Amino acid sequence: MTRTRLMLVIAASLSLVLGACTQAAAKPGWTYGPLAGDPAGAAGTPAASQGDSGAVLGTIEVTAADLSFSPNMVTVATAGRYDVKLTNTGAIQHNLTFSDGTAIVADPGQTSSAVVDIPAGGLTFSCTIPGHAQAGMTGMVSVGSMPMDSGMAMGSPAPSAGTGTGTSGNGLGLPAADPNAPPYVLRDATAPAVMPGTVHDIDLPIIEKDMTVAAGYVVHVWTFGGTVPGPVIRVHLGDTVHVHLTNEGTMSHSIDFHASQTAMNDQMVEIKPGATFTYTFRADYAGVWMYHCGTAPALEHIANGMFGMVIVEPKGGLPKVDKELAFVQNEWYLGGQGQIADYTKASAGAPSPDFVTFNGVANQYKDNPISVPTKGRIRVFILDAGPSIDSSFHVVGTIFDTVIKEGIALLPGNSGGWGAQAVDLSPAQGAIIEFSPQEDGMYPFVTHAFNFTVRGAMGIFQAGDGNPKN
């Protein structure tokens, strides 16, 4: 299988080839000079197309790195036919698709070309892989000076499929709720038992599917293992884990296990549609760890569902408790119904998600309270998958007597009598929390950033029969 570098946003150098060029010290001239001997070009004014209309007038060379084109603004002297060469120096496949529908596709390390008719009004272009145009892979070929009044805005992308803007249009607001959307599938929050043995083989297919993420709202998600979040993987310290991935989707993906120690250009590789790859790591450190797709733009892939939790038990394991639960907090930035997440929304400098959820679905544990024993020991594994906002995990009516956050431990019986009311987690951070509800009743759990609680980040623990007056 092909091993490539993991997606880095690298500005690539570029060679532009065509005709006679002006010297750097001279006044600005053509990026692509007029045909040799053209008197109009010598005078510094646009020249009419010369000769046979089917002749190729020159070569345009564009380099695609991961999430950038260089150059992204090109000027040619005359309208006509040009040989366009796309060189891909990135780690994943890219395409250069013009607004007339002409598409050039190049795998990493490859150069592809096509002859393109550039009209007098110019053509815009973009990479149409989801998220790439929104992340900056857009540009334009213009004829003469930039046609500012031509209706083709500078840098406007060519039409692309699956951009996720949908009815949100400019990235603002929710699409209309669909009364006929399928009901969401309740995720069992019970933490899995630690896997037996010391060597584990785990199948984690990459699957695209529609998923109801809130009542009336469907996202076309990209998943590990067919669920959002992906399956919780729980092992012992020192175990070896082999994760077998098969890409059953329509675009390239990769995986990054934060519990592993491996070079970015070793195992965090492009897995093309139909390809397989086995990621191997040893669980050298205990904790609650994130895994996610790292394919550029990683923001789009995480925002569209490609994340999950790894639990590595500490030396000697964890003591037995009455109930263990696992929650992953994430954000949804919705495009249109049944489309992928909206990259424009997700990439905003001040994130404003449409929904914030525990285990992928807004309010699922508010609608379906989780039963816990009164005065029992409850352990929660919590991870903030982001991709962009913090979590302040809090259970109303309780105090955490145990918090192990990123290896720092607050334990029962400490000499100062310390407890914790909330656990703050930045994206990709995890914690282990323990508490005991002291009476029958309803104990909401939330992120204490209440603007996000009302967007779906709320559930309920029901202790006993839920009635404290019995």
Side-chain angles (χ1 to χ4, degrees):
M1 65 189 63
T2 302
R3 291 174 177 253
T4 61
R5 302 189 309 277
L6 179 68
M7 314 31 103
L8 296 171
V9 180
I10 304 172
S13 62
L14 160 74
S15 172
L16 302 180
V17 180
L18 180 69
C21 299
T22 59
Q23 295 181 355
K27 66 179 182 180
W30 302 110
T31 303
Y32 297 94
L35 293 176
D38 185 344
T45 57
S49 178
Q50 301 292 312
D52 185 352
S53 61
V56 174
L57 302 182
T59 301
I60 300 171
E61 294 188 3
V62 176
T63 297
D66 285 323
L67 306 187
S68 68
F69 284 127
S70 180
N72 63 351
M73 290 297 177
V74 176
T75 302
V76 295
T78 62
R81 308 189 78 201
Y82 290 85
D83 184 26
V84 180
K85 292 185 177 180
L86 174 66
T87 299
N88 185 355
T89 64
I92 56 176
Q93 185 184 86
H94 291 296
N95 66 68
L96 193 157
T97 299
F98 285 94
S99 47
D100 69 352
T102 304
I104 306 169
V105 180
D107 285 331
Q110 293 186 348
T111 297
S112 300
S113 64
V115 174
V116 180
D117 288 310
I118 306 296
L123 288 176
T124 57
F125 60 83
S126 70
C127 180
T128 61
I129 294 173
H132 288 204
Q134 293 86 345
M137 296 194 76
T138 64
M140 184 174 184
V141 178
S142 64
V143 178
S145 59
M146 186 64 65
M148 297 305 292
D149 60 352
S150 67
M152 299 172 65
M154 185 180 298
S156 297
S160 61
T163 58
T165 53
T167 57
S168 332
N170 59 5
L172 301 176
L174 279 165
D178 179 3
N180 297 315
Y184 65 76
V185 176
L186 177 65
R187 168 97 171 210
D188 184 358
T190 302
V194 64
M195 299 177 72
T198 60
V199 178
H200 314 289
D201 288 274
I202 299 167
D203 290 323
L204 205 61
I206 296 169
I207 298 170
E208 298 178 6
K209 60 184 288 189
D210 287 344
M211 173 179 167
T212 300
V213 302
Y217 294 96
V218 176
V219 176
H220 188 69
V221 296
W222 306 329
T223 77
F224 291 115
T227 64
V228 178
V232 176
I233 298 171
R234 186 172 181 181
V235 299
H236 292 102
L237 186 70
D239 286 1
T240 297
V241 183
H242 304 287
V243 180
H244 307 287
L245 300 115
T246 299
N247 188 349
E248 300 177 10
T250 60
M251 60 179 295
S252 294
H253 295 288
S254 61
I255 197 163
D256 174 7
F257 282 96
H258 288 196
S260 72
Q261 298 182 90
T262 183
M264 184 165 51
N265 58 347
D266 179 13
Q267 296 196 88
M268 303 175 200
V269 302
E270 178 186 21
I271 308 171
K272 292 182 179 180
T276 62
F277 180 73
T278 297
Y279 189 117
T280 297
F281 69 94
R282 190 178 69 183
D284 292 325
Y285 290 91
V288 175
W289 306 94
M290 182 176 177
Y291 65 85
H292 65 89
C293 182
T295 297
L299 171 61
E300 175 82 355
H301 290 244
I302 297 170
N304 208 51
M306 301 196 78
F307 55 83
M309 174 190 287
V310 173
I311 302 168
V312 179
E313 293 259 3
K315 190 175 297 184
L318 293 167
K320 183 176 177 57
V321 294
D322 296 295
K323 189 141 192 171
E324 290 185 318
L325 301 155
F327 298 118
V328 180
Q329 179 179 312
N330 79 288
E331 305 131 43
W332 290 111
Y333 301 87
L334 270 58
Q337 287 283 2
Q339 296 186 24
I340 65 172
D342 190 317
Y343 184 86
T344 302
K345 288 183 180 181
S347 61
S352 183
D354 296 305
F355 296 108
V356 179
T357 73
F358 294 118
N359 289 345
V361 177
N363 294 318
Q364 63 177 319
Y365 304 119
K366 177 184 175 184
D367 301 339
N368 304 274
I370 298 171
S371 179
V372 297
T374 303
K375 297 187 183 296
R377 293 290 296 167
I378 313 303
R379 176 180 293 139
V380 173
F381 302 97
I382 177 75
L383 170 71
D384 180 13
S388 298
I389 65 171
D390 295 342
S391 176
S392 177
F393 188 78
H394 172 70
V395 181
V396 178
T398 69
I399 294 175
F400 304 149
D401 60 26
T402 299
V403 176
I404 305 171
K405 173 191 169 184
E406 298 288 289
I408 307 300
L410 167 72
L411 300 174
N414 64 80
S415 59
W418 303 103
Q421 61 197 304
V423 174
D424 57 317
L425 299 172
S426 293
Q429 288 190 315
I432 302 171
I433 299 160
E434 294 180 13
F435 62 94
S436 295
Q438 292 302 297
E439 60 180 355
D440 287 358
M442 309 299 276
Y443 296 82
F445 59 92
V446 299
T447 176
H448 217 278
F450 281 125
N451 57 329
F452 298 131
T453 294
V454 297
R455 301 186 192 196
M458 181 178 182
I460 296 174
F461 294 126
Q462 178 180 316
D465 65 4
N467 187 350
K469 303 301 183 182
N470 289 344

